[in-house]
Amino acid sequence: MHIASCVWQEKKKKKKQAAAATMGMGGVSSGGDWAARKAAVVAMLAAAGGAVNCCVSFVVFSVLDVLDMVLCVVYKLVDYAVESEWKPCYCAAAAGGDARVLVPADAAAGPKVVRLSSPAQGGCGGPNRKRRVQLEDVSDTLFVRPSLLADATTTTKRKRKQGGGAPPLTVAAIAEVIRGKTDRAAAPSSAPARPCWSDCDCKVCHSWSAAAAAPGSSSSHLYVHVQAPPPPCQAQVEDVVFIHGFISSSVFWTETVFPAFSAAARGRYRMFAVDLLGFGRSPKPADSLYTMREHVEMIERSVLQRYRIGSFHVVAHSLGSVLALALAVKYPDAVKSLTLLAPPYFPVPKEESGAATQYVMRQVAPRRVWPPIAFGASMACWYEHVSRTICLTICRHHRVWDRLFRIFTRNRMRTFLIEAFMCHTHNAAWHTLHNIICGSAARMDAYLDVVSDQLSCKVALFHGRDDELLPVECTLAAGKRVPRARVTVYDHKDHITIIVGQEKLFAAELEAIWRSAAD
C-alpha cells in the first residue's frame, strides 16, 4: 500500500477518535475533565504513530523493491551454477523463444486456456506435445505486483478505480514460467525427485521422494494422520477432515486438539489431519503451481477416495477454510458440519471488482512495518526473491532452529510449531499464498452463497479478536453471508492462540458441533 493510501487509512481510522478528543478538550477548559484530556493525548499519539508507521513503511518497502530485483539476478546465477538450469520467476515478461500462447478471442465462451507448445526434450514427445493450463486457476498477483512508487502514481490509482485487470503482457509472462515448469516436469529422469538446493532435504520434508523411489509405492498422495477409534468399536463411526492453514501442517491439529478430545469422541469419530500439497510430509513437486484445483484434487484422492469416505465433518483453519468451502461446494450432500477458524474472507467493494485479487493482496499484505505479522505477510506476498531468502534462512535450517529452541526453552508447544511452520518449500508457499488466498477473492462470495442457500449442514465460525493477520471482520462478514452460521469471537486470542492454549475448550466446542449435526 502506497504512502498516500496509508495516510488516508490512518486519517479515516482516527477521525472519530480525534473528533471525540476535540470535544473532550472543550470540556476540559470549562470543567477540567482529566479523562477527556487523556483521551485527546492518546488520540494525538496514535495519529502520530500511524504517520510514522506510514513513512517508515514507505522507506523500508522501497528498499525491498530494489533488493528483490537484485536477488532475482543473484538466484538465477546461483541456480544455474548449482543445478545447471535457469529457474523461471515472475519478475519479467517472456523473452520470446518457441513458446506459443493462444488465448480464445471470446473469453466469455469458455475457460481461459493457455496452450503451450515447445520442442521435444529427451525423447519425451514431439513438437506437437502440448500442456494445457487454465489461467483462471492462476492468480494475477503472482506476476502483477507493482513497486511502491508505481503503486503510488495516479495512473495506477485510476486503473484501480476503473477496475482494470492484468495488462495483456502478463499472459506472456505467466506462459513463460509455466512452460519452464512443464518442460522440466516432462523431462525423463531415472533418479527420484530431489529438492532444490535452497530447500531442506531432511526425512520430514523430503520423505515423499524416498517413498516414490520404493517399488510399488506412489508419491501421488498427501501425508494423512489418521486417528481411528480403538477396536472393538460399537458406535457408528463418523469421519472428520482437518485442514491446516498457510505455512502449517497436520501437527497443528494432532499436537493440540487431538489429545484433548474426550474418550467418547475418540471412540466415535475417525479423524483425518492432512498435510496440504507442498507442506509438512506431503509431496512438494517443483513443477506444481499449487492451484485450488490441485489442492482440492489431492485432498479428494488422499482422503475421500483412499479411505472411502461418504460423509464427513470439516474443520479448517485460515487458508484451509478456503479449501474447506471448495470441498463443501463440490460435495454438498456429504458435508455434515463446516467449522471454519479465521477464514480469510475480504468482501470486495464494487469499485474493486475488476481487480479483486489485487484488493485482497493489499488487505492481507498491506506493506507496513507494524505490526510485525503484517510486515512478515507483506514480505512473503509482495517479494518473490526476498521470501525465498526467508525460506532459505528458516525452512532449510529448521532442524537447527528446533535444536536451539529445545536448548533455550523447554516448551514443547514451541517445538512442535517449528515443524508446523517450517517444513515447506518456497515454491509451495509462494504459489499457495497467491493462488488460494488472493486467487479465491472472486470465488468466496459464491462459495458462501452456496453454503447459505444449498447446504443444510451446521456452520460454525470462530475468530480471535486480537488476530492481527486476518482481522475479526473477516469472520463477521462471512457470518453475515451465511445467516444460520454460529459466530464465536474469543477475546484476547489471536491467529494461533485461538487453538493453542485453549485446546480442551475448543475440543469441547467441536464435539458439541458434531453432536448437534447428528440430531
Side-chain angles (χ1 to χ4, degrees):
M1 181 179 296
H2 55 78
I3 192 168
S5 297
C6 188
V7 171
W8 178 83
Q9 264 201 345
E10 289 297 329
K11 287 182 178 179
K12 184 178 179 182
K13 185 178 179 180
K14 305 300 180 184
K15 185 176 180 181
K16 293 183 179 180
Q17 295 181 0
T22 303
M23 294 178 62
M25 290 194 70
V28 170
S29 58
S30 57
D33 188 352
W34 168 249
R37 180 180 298 176
K38 182 179 179 181
V41 172
V42 170
M44 292 173 61
L45 291 175
V52 171
N53 190 16
C54 289
C55 293
V56 174
S57 298
F58 185 82
V59 173
V60 170
F61 285 102
S62 295
V63 172
L64 288 174
D65 286 334
V66 177
L67 177 61
D68 202 59
M69 290 188 290
V70 174
L71 289 174
C72 176
V73 177
V74 171
Y75 278 118
K76 282 189 180 298
L77 294 175
V78 177
D79 285 339
Y80 187 78
V82 176
E83 300 188 359
S84 300
E85 65 174 337
W86 301 104
K87 294 292 182 66
C89 68
Y90 295 95
C91 295
D98 296 318
R100 299 186 60 190
V101 184
L102 307 176
V103 182
D106 184 8
K112 296 174 291 184
V113 177
V114 170
R115 293 175 176 85
L116 303 173
S117 61
S118 59
Q121 290 188 6
C124 278
N128 295 323
R129 177 176 57 83
K130 295 183 178 180
R131 298 281 173 178
R132 294 168 58 89
V133 178
Q134 291 189 344
L135 280 184
E136 60 190 7
D137 290 342
V138 181
S139 173
D140 63 1
T141 57
L142 281 167
F143 45 90
V144 181
R145 288 169 284 111
S147 66
L148 206 60
L149 290 175
D151 202 30
T153 61
T154 55
T155 303
T156 304
K157 289 190 289 184
R158 190 180 300 115
K159 285 183 179 180
R160 282 183 187 162
K161 290 180 180 179
Q162 295 172 352
L169 181 63
T170 57
V171 174
I174 188 68
E176 180 71 10
V177 178
I178 295 173
R179 186 171 73 93
K181 288 177 174 292
T182 54
D183 285 350
R184 289 200 309 276
S189 176
S190 57
R194 59 184 178 86
C196 174
W197 66 268
S198 57
D199 296 328
C200 180
D201 60 353
C202 72
K203 292 182 179 180
V204 173
C205 295
H206 208 58
S207 59
W208 62 276
S209 65
S217 62
S218 172
S219 63
S220 61
H221 291 89
L222 302 176
Y223 171 82
V224 183
H225 177 97
V226 183
Q227 180 171 295
C233 181
Q234 303 296 332
Q236 182 178 1
V237 175
E238 297 183 35
D239 294 318
V240 186
V241 178
F242 289 81
I243 308 175
H244 63 77
F246 183 56
I247 56 170
S248 187
S249 74
S250 58
V251 298
F252 183 76
W253 304 110
T254 60
E255 296 287 340
T256 56
V257 294
F258 273 36
F261 284 120
S262 66
R266 289 196 294 269
R268 180 176 179 182
Y269 299 102
R270 186 171 57 156
M271 305 177 195
F272 302 88
V274 302
D275 283 352
L276 293 177
L277 183 68
F279 298 87
R281 299 169 186 264
S282 285
K284 304 172 180 65
D287 59 293
S288 173
L289 292 174
Y290 297 89
T291 62
M292 177 82 75
R293 191 185 307 271
E294 290 176 280
H295 278 292
V296 171
E297 287 179 353
M298 285 296 283
I299 294 175
E300 290 176 314
R301 184 186 310 133
S302 307
V303 183
L304 304 187
Q305 297 172 7
R306 189 179 186 182
Y307 294 95
R308 297 180 175 85
I309 297 176
S311 61
F312 54 96
H313 304 270
V314 185
V315 182
H317 176 240
S318 190
L319 173 142
S321 300
V322 182
L323 301 176
L325 286 170
L327 276 176
V329 169
K330 194 168 185 178
Y331 298 94
D333 298 326
V335 177
K336 292 184 176 180
S337 71
L338 190 61
T339 304
L340 308 180
L341 289 77
Y345 173 56
F346 295 90
V348 180
K350 290 184 179 180
E351 61 271 18
E352 297 277 2
S353 59
T357 55
Q358 298 288 327
Y359 173 81
V360 170
M361 181 169 66
R362 297 197 303 272
Q363 301 305 307
V364 174
R367 284 195 283 191
R368 302 170 88 181
V369 296
W370 191 265
I373 196 167
F375 181 57
S378 298
M379 288 197 296
C381 197
W382 285 90
Y383 304 104
E384 181 178 1
H385 303 289
V386 170
S387 60
R388 183 179 178 183
T389 304
I390 295 172
C391 279
L392 173 62
T393 305
I394 296 178
C395 298
R396 179 175 171 80
H397 301 97
H398 69 86
R399 289 166 292 180
V400 175
W401 297 114
D402 183 74
R403 283 192 290 268
L404 290 176
F405 272 104
R406 287 180 183 274
I407 292 173
F408 292 107
T409 72
R410 297 187 177 181
N411 190 328
R412 170 64 182 142
M413 199 65 66
R414 291 185 181 180
T415 301
F416 89 75
L417 287 178
I418 293 288
E419 179 179 337
F421 296 152
M422 297 185 183
C423 292
H424 62 271
T425 64
H426 170 255
N427 185 59
W430 174 256
H431 286 91
T432 299
L433 173 61
H434 285 276
N435 288 336
I436 305 301
I437 291 186
C438 299
S440 64
R443 305 180 184 185
M444 288 293 285
D445 286 344
Y447 285 167
L448 291 170
D449 287 345
V450 170
V451 171
S452 176
D453 301 336
Q454 301 180 26
L455 273 69
S456 58
C457 64
K458 295 283 184 179
V459 181
L461 307 174
F462 295 86
H463 215 110
R465 195 176 298 279
D466 295 340
D467 193 332
E468 293 181 320
L469 180 61
L470 297 174
V472 68
E473 285 76 17
C474 291
T475 286
L476 299 180
K480 290 181 180 179
R481 202 85 189 189
V482 186
R484 76 173 186 279
R486 180 170 70 89
V487 179
T488 303
V489 177
Y490 291 120
D491 291 327
H492 312 298
K493 298 297 179 182
D494 58 26
H495 201 66
I496 301 301
T497 56
I498 190 175
I499 296 279
V500 178
Q502 58 173 13
E503 295 86 355
K504 289 186 177 181
L505 172 63
F506 190 73
E509 289 271 16
L510 289 178
E511 292 182 35
I513 293 170
W514 300 337
R515 286 195 302 269
S516 65
D519 295 339

